[in-house]
Structure formats: C-alpha cells, structure tokens
Amino acid sequence: MNKAVTNAPRPAQPATEPLRVTLVVGSNRHGRFGPVVARWLLDHLQGRDDLVAEVVDVADVDLPTSFEPTPEATAALSGVTPKLAGADAFVVLTPEYNHSFPAGLKNLVDWHFGEWRAKPVALVSYGGLAGGLRAVEHLRQVFAELHAVTVRDTVSFHNAGASFDDAGTLRDPFGPDAAAKTMLDQLVWWGLALREARTERPYAG
C-alpha cells in the first residue's frame, strides 16, 4: 500500500550565526605596505553578512622572542589571545621577506597553539614579482603543524605598490575582487564545517 505523499513545508532551518574571523596583519616593518592591503581586505570581510571581522596587527603587539611569560608579555597577550581564541577562522596577510614570511608574524603564531587548532586559515600575500607566494607556501607548513586547515585559494598582489593608487584604491579591482570572493567563500565553507565539528566532536589531535 502506497504511503500518502504530503506537500507540507519543511520546518525552517535555524539561522546560521556569522563566522567570527580574525584578520592578522603580519608585517611590523618600518614603512610597511601592509595597512593598504589590510584596508582593502577588511572592506571585503565587512561587506559580507556571513562574517564578523576583527583585527590583530603584529605591529601593535610587543611580544619577546624568548617566550618567557613576563608581565610585559602577559599584558601584550591579553589583547591578542582572546581575538584568536574566539575566532572561527582567520585571514592572514603577509609580505615576503627573503623568500619567507616576517619574523614578527612567526613570533605571534608561535606564542599560540590551541587557538589555531581545527580552524581554517585563508592566506593573502603581497610583494614584488612573486607576489608573496613563497611566504604563503611556508605558512601552509606552519599552520599544518598547528592542526589548522589552510584554504586552497589565495589572493596575491604582484608588484603591490603599483597595484594601488595613492589613496589606497586598487587600480584594477576586477581580478583581486573575484579572487577574494572565491577565497572567502572557501573560508566560510570550512569555517562552518569545522565549527560544527568542534561542537559535536571536540578535536583531539
């Protein structure tokens, strides 16, 4: 006997909370170009309904390289660690120095461990001819060791200084804007999936 078919509407799905994303600005070099790219990135993050963004700037964080928990280090961490711990996902912005990423960014990463675990990381780079992509590949290895997941697509600015005008506006936004959307779409997918997984099955490593 056939069961009756009903066209009753399915119950409404609960609204998904936006992902909390921390943008890490990875350069503290004098005269750095990073804030120009960071502003462009932040516009993209804030323009999405599925993301809520805040910023950690390496230049504002005075952490020693000794990893000694001095009162000064503890004070510096008090303004940074909660932004990393509370994030569902990260966007890390890096230049390329001598075929790799800056020491200040590595120091910030190394002061933390559990804050990165089982969370996705999107990588954005800038530089000369290589566009910072060698720094990105090094960061993938670092974040893999920390049990984080780097998303496949990136955004890179080759000859970055010439890509933006004096007001910090991209001269030709078509390609970078499309790349940013693809990257952030991937970050949202991984962010939602891993947030649900961490809730249902805490990551043991």
Side-chain angles (χ1 to χ4, degrees), residues 118-188:
K119 297 178 183 179
V121 181
L123 298 165
V124 180
S125 64
Y126 60 95
L129 291 175
L133 290 175
R134 291 170 292 207
V136 164
E137 292 310 307
H138 286 182
L139 278 168
R140 289 192 191 279
Q141 298 174 57
V142 171
F143 281 115
E145 180 64 18
L146 293 166
H147 298 257
V149 178
T150 56
V151 303
R152 191 268 182 191
D153 283 51
T154 65
V155 181
S156 60
F157 291 96
H158 304 255
N159 296 319
S163 299
F164 293 81
D165 64 21
D166 292 341
T169 302
L170 269 175
R171 298 181 189 278
D172 183 6
F174 180 77
D177 285 353
K181 182 182 185 308
T182 298
M183 179 191 72
L184 293 177
D185 285 347
Q186 292 176 8
L187 186 71
V188 168

